[in-house]
Amino acid sequence: MKVRKCPTCGRDVIGRADKRFCSDECRIFYNNALRKRKRSRNREQIRAIISNVREMDQADAKNLLRLLERISKVFKIMSTFAKTRNSQK
Ligand SMILES: [Zn+2]
């Protein structure tokens, strides 16, 4: 059997075949780091969008804002729908 290595500390993982981490500490550390990376990637993307909007002319910027408004409305409707579905369970 192949020895799995903990992706956080590199130690051997002993236990069930689907176990990925050597300990809860390593699992939590790994997931927190992953979340942080995702957050900073999102921040980078938002920064890039903002600088693009700054370079747009006014008509393009207005159209973009209108589009974002529409998208946020769709997300609101979707989250309301998800909430009512969850409360029905
Ligand atoms: Zn570990």
Side-chain angles (χ1 to χ4, degrees), residues 6 8-9 11 22-23 26:
C6 173
T8 303
C9 68
R11 277 187 289 214
C22 71
S23 64
C26 280

Side-chain angles (χ1 to χ4, degrees), residues 8 10 25 45-46 56 70:
T8 303
E25 287 79 19
Q45 280 172 347
I46 288 168
M56 279 179 185
R70 236 177 266 166

